[in-house]
């Protein structure tokens, strides 16, 4: 395993063996042309749990398998994060939360649609003067406006 991954995993508080397995599985699943090591490391560093990390990797994988340029999935994630007031860690938490909401409500959305909805939530008028908790904001938007996906 890459020394940078090892160093990042060493910073995690627990489940180090599980983190190593997650990285190995991600590297075995996603080709480096779709997700390079430096991008994988960014996602690893920003993930608060192996489960959330695996959710992001799964969603990137699914999107990349339906597109000729699988790297687009990663570019979309980083572009949305870069233009947002929320960090990559907050985006990962939000994506994981929204993915769970979709599953709990027997709904589906592709990666691009998910990111679009979450980006829309982050840019809502309610979020202009005061930065709200991202997950609470998404829940408020889902409860108020629903999701047409």
């Amino acid at each position: 395993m890459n020394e940078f991954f090892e160093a990042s995993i060493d910073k995690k508080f627990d489940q180090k063996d599980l983190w190593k397995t997650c990285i190995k599985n991600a590297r075995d699943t996603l080709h480096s042309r779709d997700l390079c090591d430096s991008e994988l490391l960014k996602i690893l560093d920003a993930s608060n749990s192996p489960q959330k990390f695996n959710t992001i990797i799964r969603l990137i994988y699914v999107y990349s398998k339906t597109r000729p340029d699988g790297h687009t999935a990663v570019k979309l994630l980083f572009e949305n994060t870069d233009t947002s007031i929320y960090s990559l860690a907050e985006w990962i938490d939000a994506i994981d939360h929204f993915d769970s909401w979709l599953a709990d409500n027997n709904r589906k959305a592709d990666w691009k649609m998910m990111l679009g909805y979450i980006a829309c939530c982050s840019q809502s008028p309610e979020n202009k003067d005061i930065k709200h908790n991202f997950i609470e904001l998404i829940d408020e938007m889902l409860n108020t406006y629903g999701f047409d996906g």
Side-chain angles (χ1 to χ4, degrees), residues 59 98-99 102 107-114 147 149:
L59 292 169
F98 188 54
D99 184 61
L102 289 169
R107 306 285 297 277
K108 292 185 186 245
D110 77 1
W111 180 244
K112 191 172 183 177
M113 186 178 292
M114 287 179 72
F147 173 70

Side-chain angles (χ1 to χ4, degrees), residues 111-125:
W111 180 244
K112 191 172 183 177
M113 186 178 292
M114 287 179 72
L115 293 178
Y117 187 86
I118 294 169
C120 186
C121 292
S122 75
Q123 299 164 3
S124 71

Side-chain angles (χ1 to χ4, degrees), residues 30-145:
L30 285 165
H31 194 281
S32 60
R33 73 175 169 266
D34 295 332
L35 178 67
C36 70
D37 281 351
S38 64
E39 294 163 334
L40 183 59
L41 185 60
K42 284 182 188 178
I43 293 170
L44 172 64
D45 286 341
S47 296
N48 296 320
S49 73
Q51 295 75 19
K52 291 178 183 181
F53 175 84
N54 285 339
T55 296
I56 299 302
I57 297 303
R58 175 181 49 83
L59 292 169
I60 290 171
Y61 172 78
V62 169
Y63 188 84
S64 71
K65 290 305 161 198
T66 60
R67 306 293 187 282
D69 177 15
H71 191 249
T72 301
V74 177
K75 288 192 288 190
L76 287 169
L77 173 62
F78 291 137
E79 285 170 5
N80 277 286
T81 302
D82 290 345
T83 59
S84 170
I85 61 173
Y86 295 101
S87 68
L88 180 57
E90 291 169 307
W91 268 85
I92 289 171
D93 289 345
I95 292 165
D96 180 71
H97 180 75
F98 188 54
D99 184 61
S100 294
W101 182 89
L102 289 169
D104 292 346
N105 289 277
N106 296 317
R107 306 285 297 277
K108 292 185 186 245
D110 77 1
W111 180 244
K112 191 172 183 177
M113 186 178 292
M114 287 179 72
L115 293 178
Y117 187 86
I118 294 169
C120 186
C121 292
S122 75
Q123 299 164 3
S124 71
E126 293 85 353
N127 208 30
K128 292 298 178 201
D129 296 325
I130 299 171
K131 180 182 170 186
H132 293 272
N133 176 287
F134 207 6
I135 291 174
E136 290 174 6
L137 182 62
I138 291 168
D139 283 340
E140 181 180 325
M141 299 303 257
L142 287 166
N143 291 331
T144 303
Y145 303 106

